[in-house]
Amino acid sequence: MSTRSLWRWPRPSQTDEAELLARAARAQGTSLFAMARRRIWRDIPARIALLGLSVLALLALLAPLLPLASPISLDLARGASAPVAPWSADWRGLWNEQYTGEHWQYGRVDQALHELRIELFGKRQLAPLLGTDSKGRDLLARTVFGSRTSLSAALLAALTSLLIGVGWGAVAGFVGGRLDNLMMRFVDLLYSLPFVFLVIFLVTIVAEYRSELEAGLGLDRESVFFIVLGCFYWLTMARIVRAQVLSLRTREFVTAARSLGASDTRILLTHIVPNTLPVVLVYLCLTVPSVMLFEAFLSFLGLGVEPPRVSWGLLAAEGAEALTPLSLDVWLILVPSLCIALTLLAMNVIGDSIRDALDPRMVNKE
Amino acid sequence: MSAERRTLLEVEGLEVEFRTPRGRVQAVRGLDLCVGAGEILAIVGESGSGKSVAQLAIMDLLPDSASVRARRMHWQGQELSSLSRAQRRALCGRELAMVFQDPLSALHPQLTIGRQLSEVLEVHERLTRVQVRARCIAALAEVGIPSPEERLRAYPHELSGGMRQRVMIAMALIASPRLLFADEPTTALDVTVQAQILELFRELCARRGLAIVLVTHSLGVVARVADRVQVMYAGQALERGSAEEVLAAPAHPYTRALLRSVPDARIEGDAHSEPAAGAPARLATIPGQPPDLAQPIRGCAFAPRCERASELCRREAPRFAPNPRAACHHPEGSA
């Protein structure tokens, strides 16, 4: 590389190339993202939210490895019991050896994690710190396992929004003309389908032809739910991004980039899409909670996750059922609802902080 | 005007047409253009006379609703319209570059100056990161920006207007193009900065042999920097010649009228005393409006507003043929 000359034509007079290179080596650049990362970290609420979400994600990912009680083993004799209050705790009783090892059918990774757990902890498990439900199932374990569904639904919606939605909208807006028309009419088409109705419809079909579908396509209710989610949650994002791109592509800095020889792909990727990022992030932070709520809503209606599997929505539904004039087991609804609320709060705090951090105008205002 | 300068760009009969809901608008109607190395050609004209459109057409930056035709569009002997879109895009920045009027909107608001400068080199040249940074520093230094290393990390909004315009110029020049289109580069700047930028242009021409096509509507700018001038009206050239000739002895009535309508800033007598003789002179203007470019134009485009217009002007379009300076049937100085 060093054999290549620094200058193509013409070499400016009185410039010492070696000195220039030395100066260049000393000057270091900072990327917007490195700076954004630093600024998010300096934002204390965002840091707390980020840490909280990371812990949650880790718990969800490693759930089968943790020394939790089985989320589905029943203890009808025990029934509903309140959370362990710290002041009355019998500290030795919190760690018992009654793990039953019951679980629904795990995938390969989860199975491996579960085997590792048995290696590590044997039959030991945590006592029901957050209480049990009316069938004696450990609420802590159920909440941790339930977070997997909620988080993966959120993740899926975020990914489809980002990949399909942003890509679709950016291409439609940038290319324009007939292609734009075609792509956006397709979005309109999907928009016009009544979403909840479609989910109910599909879920019923799946319930009817369960054995055939599971044998043939490996489709169960949960995967149908996820597929429908993935098909629909990028639509609004595509519209928002397209509108942004439409207003950006006629801006003068795009013409300027073109006048300096940048290709269309380059302009789209380095000049237009990053400029839509603030809006995309804000909308993403609204999408993720709404997906989690939607999952909760469907599970609440009994259309989402199937028992014995759990999700936060399902837990909240069960918790609501548990509130009767005869029994006031508030923790059953409080725990999952608080989990949902706190996760959503964390998402919003982070989204806000990212948006601020990515705005170069905020650089010197801290 | 030195004829021995190597010709870089040669355009003949350039026509640009926009398809609009109102019909076809002919923004440029048969424009000839010729620039040699180390020369500053100024294109002067009112708003809407097609100055900027002609530049954008040569750079291939017009939207798809525009159709560009030309008898000849030669870049160093090569016909530009025979090149593919990608080939022309590759010329942009490397051979031809452009400086825009408003540097704040022409710079990307979310990228640092260094990032934007180095992008040009990423596109056109294969250099190591340190080499790229060295070129960026050299480019900023060349346009007179102090402590260029620090400026690399700045964002456009952190710089003043004059600095931003210098950054734009550095960006246009970093890949060492031979021809620079400058679209009213000093309109958004105040006078002192304007003078600095124009001085910079002169310097670059002398040092690098850079050719500049300067679009402006300020005759003051023309007088200060241009070697040659081309006066445009309604998408056509009405007069061309060396800057001294055109400014001192305009041949076309339109140029004369333009020169007359420049406000005179000379102070007559004491500012506090009463005006010496009668009311202060009103600023001379050209009566009427430029023609509607969506309609076909018969005869000379300027005839309806011209004080020397005759029946011949309304009937037949004038050419540069008998008079090489002005496309006019009755140029100044003739009967």
Side-chain angles (χ1 to χ4, degrees):
Chain A
M1 219 45 198
S2 57
T3 54
R4 192 182 291 276
S5 163
L6 192 53
W7 312 99
R8 194 167 65 90
W9 171 95
R11 177 192 298 260
S13 50
Q14 334 111 8
T15 321
D16 184 2
E17 199 170 314
E19 192 221 305
L20 198 61
L21 283 172
R23 273 169 78 187
R26 276 198 305 274
Q28 85 272 9
T30 358
S31 79
L32 186 57
F33 284 96
M35 211 149 52
R37 213 161 43 229
R38 260 209 317 275
R39 267 184 288 161
I40 292 171
W41 198 244
R42 223 176 297 158
D43 182 0
I44 303 290
R47 199 197 304 187
I48 294 172
L50 208 58
L51 284 177
L53 275 190
S54 315
V55 169
L56 180 67
L58 212 63
L59 283 181
L61 201 67
L62 299 180
L65 182 67
L66 303 173
L68 297 166
S70 156
I72 54 172
S73 74
L74 303 176
D75 187 353
L76 293 174
R78 179 183 187 128
S81 63
V84 180
W87 55 89
S88 65
D90 169 14
W91 294 104
R92 276 162 305 157
L94 294 182
W95 189 245
N96 60 38
E97 297 214 359
Q98 291 156 3
Y99 183 60
T100 57
E102 274 179 80
H103 58 79
W104 57 76
Q105 187 158 15
Y106 280 153
R108 206 171 299 158
V109 179
D110 286 350
Q111 188 61 48
L113 285 174
H114 186 244
E115 275 159 23
L116 192 62
R117 177 223 193 271
I118 301 218
E119 281 291 304
L120 285 175
F121 302 108
K123 278 195 151 322
R124 273 164 296 180
Q125 66 173 24
L126 274 174
L129 295 177
L130 293 179
T132 54
D133 67 7
S134 59
K135 299 193 180 78
R137 289 175 295 196
D138 184 314
L139 188 57
L140 176 63
R142 284 173 75 73
T143 308
V144 171
F145 276 90
S147 71
R148 300 184 120 199
T149 318
S150 298
L151 288 187
S152 49
L155 201 67
L156 181 86
L159 278 182
T160 51
S161 270
L162 267 183
L163 296 180
I164 310 182
V166 173
W168 194 274
V171 168
F174 191 67
V175 176
R178 203 167 291 169
L179 184 71
D180 175 31
N181 217 339
L182 204 73
M183 287 172 88
M184 293 326 283
R185 292 304 78 75
F186 181 69
V187 169
D188 291 346
L189 187 81
L190 287 185
Y191 242 122
S192 67
L193 301 175
F195 185 31
V196 177
F197 177 74
L198 195 76
V199 174
I200 296 174
F201 183 68
L202 284 176
V203 163
T204 330
I205 290 185
V206 172
E208 188 68 24
Y209 299 100
R210 149 163 306 193
S211 48
E212 287 96 329
L213 279 175
E214 267 174 32
L217 298 164
L219 278 176
D220 55 4
R221 210 158 89 179
E222 211 173 325
S223 40
V224 168
F225 171 73
F226 277 118
I227 289 169
V228 176
L229 210 63
C231 287
F232 282 88
Y233 261 90
W234 57 273
L235 298 177
T236 315
M237 184 63 96
R239 279 188 172 175
I240 289 174
V241 170
R242 170 177 173 270
Q244 280 282 308
V245 170
L246 276 185
S247 79
L248 284 170
R249 74 168 178 171
T250 50
R251 292 272 291 275
E252 204 168 31
F253 63 80
V254 173
T255 318
R258 210 167 263 157
S259 83
L260 292 167
S263 64
D264 283 346
T265 329
R266 185 179 195 94
I267 286 174
L268 192 59
L269 290 183
T270 68
H271 292 261
I272 292 188
V273 170
N275 253 319
T276 64
L277 216 58
V279 185
V280 166
L281 284 172
V282 170
Y283 183 67
L284 208 60
C285 292
L286 296 175
T287 307
V288 166
S290 86
V291 169
M292 291 176 76
L293 284 178
F294 186 69
E295 183 276 326
F297 165 67
L298 282 184
S299 301
F300 193 89
L301 290 182
L303 293 168
V305 176
E306 263 174 309
R309 295 190 181 211
V310 283
S311 79
W312 285 350
L314 202 64
L315 286 178
E318 286 175 2
E321 272 170 36
L323 286 181
T324 61
L326 295 178
S327 67
L328 215 68
D329 306 335
V330 266
W331 65 91
L332 288 179
I333 191 163
L334 272 184
V335 170
S337 319
L338 268 179
C339 284
I340 296 177
L342 284 177
T343 314
L344 303 195
L345 180 68
M347 292 270 184
N348 279 312
V349 169
I350 292 173
D352 220 33
S353 166
I354 293 179
R355 201 202 57 75
D356 283 351
L358 280 180
D359 185 356
R361 266 159 245 270
M362 303 285 282
V363 173
N364 296 324
K365 294 184 189 157
E366 18 195 59
Chain B
M1 190 163 80
S2 55
E4 65 271 18
R5 274 179 178 147
R6 196 161 53 96
T7 306
L8 289 177
L9 180 72
E10 212 182 343
V11 179
E12 257 177 47
L14 179 69
E15 300 201 349
V16 182
E17 216 176 60
F18 288 95
R19 289 184 299 277
T20 68
R22 284 203 310 134
R24 291 172 181 276
V25 173
Q26 273 216 302
V28 179
R29 309 167 176 235
L31 180 73
D32 298 347
L33 209 83
C34 182
V35 209
E39 177 179 59
I40 300 187
L41 168 70
I43 302 184
V44 203
E46 293 173 59
S47 310
S49 58
K51 314 176 296 262
S52 308
V53 172
Q55 280 194 327
L56 292 171
I58 296 167
M59 291 286 282
D60 196 24
L61 291 176
L62 287 172
D64 292 337
S65 64
S67 68
V68 179
R69 282 188 310 271
R71 275 202 306 283
R72 245 153 86 88
M73 199 156 29
H74 278 191
W75 170 252
Q76 297 190 309
Q78 189 180 28
E79 175 61 40
L80 283 177
S81 53
S82 70
L83 298 178
S84 73
R85 214 182 171 140
Q87 282 171 317
R88 284 189 77 168
R89 190 61 62 77
L91 281 182
C92 285
R94 200 180 161 84
E95 299 281 325
L96 309 155
M98 192 155 185
V99 175
F100 292 83
Q101 177 175 357
D102 178 3
L104 185 57
S105 58
L107 290 170
H108 195 293
Q110 284 180 320
L111 300 177
T112 58
I113 302 302
R115 182 77 192 72
Q116 301 192 46
L117 281 168
S118 46
E119 192 179 12
V120 185
L121 295 176
E122 278 167 30
V123 171
H124 293 294
E125 292 176 43
R126 302 183 148 272
L127 296 171
T128 64
R129 281 176 73 160
V130 172
Q131 280 179 317
V132 165
R133 208 174 294 145
R135 284 278 295 273
C136 294
I137 292 172
L140 290 179
E142 190 177 18
V143 296
I145 289 181
S147 58
E149 285 100 328
E150 280 155 45
R151 290 287 93 79
L152 287 180
R153 269 176 294 172
Y155 287 93
H157 71 272
E158 295 171 320
L159 302 179
S160 69
M163 286 280 236
R164 275 182 220 137
Q165 191 56 282
R166 282 167 197 266
V167 169
M168 273 304 294
I169 295 170
M171 231 166 110
L173 294 180
I174 195 168
S176 310
R178 288 166 214 274
L179 174 64
L180 183 69
F181 286 105
D183 191 354
E184 307 196 17
T186 55
T187 311
L189 307 175
D190 64 58
V191 218
T192 47
V193 183
Q194 174 173 334
Q196 292 167 6
I197 299 278
L198 293 177
E199 190 47 45
L200 176 66
F201 276 164
R202 282 237 68 104
E203 214 183 290
L204 289 168
C205 282
R207 207 170 58 218
R208 291 188 163 197
L210 179 75
I212 298 181
V213 176
L214 184 71
V215 157
T216 177
H217 47 231
S218 155
L219 292 165
V221 170
V222 175
R224 198 187 275 271
V225 293
D227 296 307
R228 284 194 302 125
V229 188
Q230 190 151 340
V231 180
M232 276 187 81
Y233 184 77
Q236 293 161 324
L238 292 188
E239 173 158 7
R240 58 194 181 202
S242 77
E244 302 95 74
E245 277 174 353
V246 172
L247 292 177
H252 198 285
Y254 176 62
T255 319
R256 224 169 73 96
L258 266 189
L259 281 167
R260 258 211 314 265
S261 41
V262 175
D264 193 347
R266 272 177 301 182
I267 300 164
E268 287 170 18
D270 189 8
H272 296 291
S273 66
E274 288 290 303
R282 273 182 71 88
L283 181 64
T285 54
I286 308 175
Q289 292 285 321
D292 181 3
L293 294 174
Q295 306 297 328
I297 296 175
R298 254 186 98 225
C300 175
F302 188 57
R305 303 169 74 186
C306 182
E307 48 193 26
R308 299 169 74 102
S310 68
E311 201 41 50
L312 176 65
C313 298
R314 282 183 254 285
R315 211 174 50 236
E316 204 175 303
R319 303 181 174 284
F320 279 103
N323 184 338
R325 285 262 317 272
C328 184
H329 293 301
H330 313 289
E332 302 285 330
S334 70

